[in-house]
C-alpha cells in the first residue's frame, strides 16, 4: 500500500526495508527514553554515571598525568584537607582529589570491559544451549551450574594470583567468572523465543541454525542482555576494587581499590580523607549502575514494572 501526498495528489514512493527498519528503531528508542524518564531513580543513576564518565574522560585535562607521579608530589604525606588540597594528600604527598579523578579511568574501564566479556560469554552460551538442546545443552548447563555454586570472588582471586598483575588479568578474571547468571537468563529467553510459530516457519523455509540464532533469537534476547549488562558492570567495579584492595591489581595504575590498599598498607585507615572518598566513589558508581539496570529492566519488561 503506497502513501499519497496530500498537496500534489501523487503517490509517494514506498519506503525501502532499510528505511522502515531505521524508522522503527527511532520510534523504539524514543519510546524507550519516554518510559525511562518516568523512573526517577534511573535518571539519578544515569546522571551520576554521566558525571563519572565525563570526569574519567577529562582527567588528563583536569588534573594531568603528573598527579600520579610520586617524585613530583606537591604536598607532604597525609596532609589534611585544605585550600590547596581539597581532599588532603596520600602517603606520598599526592593530592587525593586528582588521584580520585584519575582512578575513575581505570575502575570504569575495567568495569565496562569485564562486563562486556562476561555478557558476551553468557549470551553465546545461553543462546547455543537454548537452541541446540540435547547432550550439548546438558553438558554446558552442568558446567554453568558448577560456576554458579562456586564463589565468584574466590575464582577471580585464584586467576588473578596465578597470572601477571595487569589490567587485562583483572578483566579476564572478572569476565570468565561472572557469566553464568547471564547464560541462564539468556537460555530461558531463548527457549521462550524458539517456541514461537515464526521460528517454525523460518525452519520450514530453510533457515539454518546460524540464521535463526542471529536473525531471530539474538534480537529478541538483546533487551534482556542490555539490562543484565548494567548490573554486571556494577558487580565488575566492586570486584575490581576488591582485587585491588587485596593487592592483586595492577600496581602501575591508579584505581579506587588501589587507593584503599595504599591507605591500609600505610596504616592510615584513620585518615578519613584517604579512605572515605574512594570508598564512596565505588559505592556510588555501583549504585548508579544498579539503579540504571533496574530502570531499564522495568522499561523492557512492562509486567515487572506493573508489579512494583
Amino acid at each position: 500500500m503506497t502513501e499519497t501526498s496530500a498537496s500534489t495528489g501523487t503517490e509517494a514512493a514506498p519506503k525501502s526495508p532499510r528505511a522502515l527498519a531505521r524508522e522503527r528503531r527511532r520510534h523504539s528508542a524514543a519510546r524507550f527514553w519516554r518510559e525511562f524518564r518516568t523512573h526517577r531513580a534511573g535518571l539519578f543513576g544515569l546522571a551520576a554515571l554521566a558525571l563519572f564518565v565525563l570526569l574519567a574522560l577529562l582527567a588528563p585535562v583536569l588534573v594531568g598525568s603528573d598527579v600520579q607521579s610520586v617524585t613530583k608530589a606537591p604536598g607532604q604525606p597525609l596532609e589534611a584537607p585544605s585550600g590547596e588540597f581539597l581532599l588532603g594528600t596520600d602517603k606520598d604527598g599526592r593530592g587525593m582529589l586528582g588521584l580520585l579523578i584519575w582512578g575513575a579511568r581505570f575502575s570504569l574501564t575495567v568495569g565496562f570491559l569485564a562486563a562486556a566479556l562476561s555478557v558476551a560469554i553468557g549470551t553465546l552460551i545461553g543462546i547455543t544451549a537454548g537452541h541446540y538442546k540435547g547432550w550439548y545443552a546438558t553438558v554446558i548447563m552442568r558446567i554453568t551450574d558448577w560456576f554458579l555454586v562456586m564463589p565468584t570472588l574466590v575464582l577471580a582471586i585464584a586467576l588473578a594470583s596465578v597470572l601477571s598483575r595487569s589490567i587485562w588479568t583483572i578483566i579476564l578474571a572478572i569476565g570468565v567468572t561472572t557469566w553464568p547468571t547471564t547464560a541462564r537468563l539468556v537460555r530461558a529467553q531463548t527457549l521462550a523465543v524458539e517456541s514461537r510459530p515464526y521460528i517454525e516457519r523460518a525452519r520450514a523455509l530453510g533457515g539454518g541454525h546460524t540464521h535463526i540464532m542471529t536473525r531471530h533469537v539474538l534480537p529478541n534476547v538483546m533487551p534482556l542482555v542490555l539490562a543484565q549488562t548494567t548490573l554486571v558492570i556494577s558487580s565488575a567495579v566492586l570486584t575490581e576494587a576488591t582485587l585491588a584492595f587485596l593487592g592483586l591489581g595492577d600496581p602501575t595504575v591508579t584505581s579506587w581499590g588501589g587507593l584503599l590498599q595504599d591507605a591500609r598498607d600505610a596504616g592510615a585507615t584513620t585518615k578519613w580523607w584517604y579512605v572515605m572518598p574512594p570508598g564512596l566513589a565505588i559505592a556510588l558508581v555501583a549504585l548508579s549502575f544498579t539503579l540504571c539496570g533496574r530502570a531499564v529492566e522495568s522499561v523492557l519488561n512492562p509486567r515487572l514494572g506493573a508489579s512494583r
Side-chain angles (χ1 to χ4, degrees):
M1 186 174 180
T2 58
E3 297 179 357
T4 302
S5 173
S7 58
T8 62
T10 59
E11 292 185 349
K15 295 181 179 179
S16 65
R18 185 171 298 179
L20 289 173
R22 285 197 299 267
E23 185 175 352
R24 284 196 298 268
R25 284 194 291 269
R26 284 196 300 269
H27 287 316
S28 297
R31 185 172 61 253
F32 173 84
W33 175 242
R34 188 166 55 250
E35 295 179 5
F36 185 88
R37 287 185 301 177
T38 63
H39 297 269
R40 293 184 178 180
L43 287 177
F44 169 79
L46 184 63
L49 289 179
L51 176 61
F52 275 108
V53 171
L54 185 63
L55 289 175
L57 293 175
L58 296 180
V61 178
L62 295 176
V63 297
S65 59
D66 288 345
V67 71
Q68 302 179 92
S69 176
V70 176
T71 59
K72 298 179 181 180
Q76 298 299 316
L78 301 178
E79 284 189 39
S82 61
E84 183 180 2
F85 302 104
L86 298 180
L87 290 180
T89 63
D90 70 344
K91 63 183 179 63
D92 298 311
R94 299 175 298 178
M96 281 296 299
L97 180 59
L99 293 175
L100 193 69
I101 294 175
W102 198 270
R105 293 173 66 88
F106 180 82
S107 296
L108 290 179
T109 299
V110 171
F112 281 117
L113 294 181
L117 177 60
S118 173
V119 170
I121 296 173
T123 302
L124 176 63
I125 290 177
I127 290 179
T128 55
H131 177 79
Y132 288 109
K133 305 179 181 66
W135 68 267
Y136 172 79
T138 301
V139 172
I140 204 69
M141 295 314 295
R142 294 297 77 78
I143 296 175
T144 302
D145 292 339
W146 182 83
F147 272 94
L148 278 174
V149 299
M150 289 292 293
T152 300
L153 183 59
V154 173
L155 291 176
I157 290 175
L159 281 176
S161 300
V162 299
L163 300 176
S164 59
R165 295 171 61 184
S166 68
I167 181 175
W168 302 112
T169 296
I170 299 298
I171 292 171
L172 182 64
I174 298 174
V176 301
T177 57
T178 58
W179 57 266
T181 302
T182 303
R184 293 196 69 87
L185 292 173
V186 171
R187 178 177 180 267
Q189 185 70 8
T190 300
L191 292 173
V193 171
E194 295 215 353
S195 65
R196 297 172 184 172
Y198 67 85
I199 298 294
E200 293 296 330
R201 289 196 293 269
R203 289 196 179 99
L205 292 173
H209 297 295
T210 303
H211 174 83
I212 291 174
M213 286 189 291
T214 57
R215 297 297 183 88
H216 298 291
V217 177
L218 183 60
N220 282 281
V221 303
M222 281 307 296
L224 174 65
V225 171
L226 175 62
Q228 181 66 12
T229 300
T230 57
L231 300 176
V232 174
I233 294 175
S234 172
S235 176
V237 170
L238 290 173
T239 304
E240 182 278 323
T242 302
L243 293 176
F245 180 73
L246 294 175
L248 299 174
D250 189 344
T252 64
V253 299
T254 301
S255 70
W256 293 333
L259 292 176
L260 293 176
Q261 182 208 12
D262 291 342
R264 182 195 61 183
D265 292 344
T269 53
T270 58
K271 309 295 185 182
W272 67 266
W273 64 87
Y274 205 163
V275 178
M276 188 175 294
L280 288 177
I282 294 169
L284 184 56
V285 166
L287 176 63
S288 300
F289 275 113
T290 301
L291 292 177
C292 282
R294 296 302 183 189
V296 170
E297 194 175 19
S298 297
V299 171
L300 298 178
N301 188 351
R303 290 177 298 179
L304 179 63
S307 64
R308 290 184 173 180

